[in-house]
Amino acid sequence: MLTPALLRYYRAAEVEMAKSKGSKTPAIEIVGKTVAVTGKLVSMTREEAIEALDALGASVSDTISKHTAYLFAGERAGSKLGRAQALGIPVLDEAALCA
């Protein structure tokens, strides 16, 4: 698994990342988009998720607004989930974050 620390290392070393043969095309484009994270994540801490999203070029926000492109929601998601749904913001699960 490519961890946030490895992503930072490769980015600092200016390593060009290429998809391996047979890997899936990402379902979403997050470079330059504002995203948020809510709920309990199983495979990583919230801080690791934020670092990974930042390393992928997303801007991570603590709040949900009309400018939020995606909400990554784990278990026991709270008021951010309700706000995102009310604004029609796509809600993605942890699997989308780890893909």
Side-chain angles (χ1 to χ4, degrees), residues 50-66:
I50 291 169
E51 287 178 13
L53 288 163
D54 183 57
L56 292 170
S59 173
V60 183
S61 175
D62 288 332
T63 60
I64 301 295
S65 74
K66 65 180 182 177

Side-chain angles (χ1 to χ4, degrees), residues 35-80:
V35 300
V37 179
T38 191
K40 182 180 183 328
L41 304 175
V42 176
S43 66
M44 66 184 77
T45 66
R46 187 180 302 224
E47 291 77 23
E48 289 172 331
I50 291 169
E51 287 178 13
L53 288 163
D54 183 57
L56 292 170
S59 173
V60 183
S61 175
D62 288 332
T63 60
I64 301 295
S65 74
K66 65 180 182 177
H67 302 291
T68 306
Y70 301 104
L71 173 66
F72 291 91
E75 297 175 5
R76 297 189 306 253
S79 61
K80 286 182 187 175

Side-chain angles (χ1 to χ4, degrees), residues 1 64 78-79 83 97:
M1 178 178 173
I64 301 295
S79 61
R83 175 99 171 118
L97 181 58

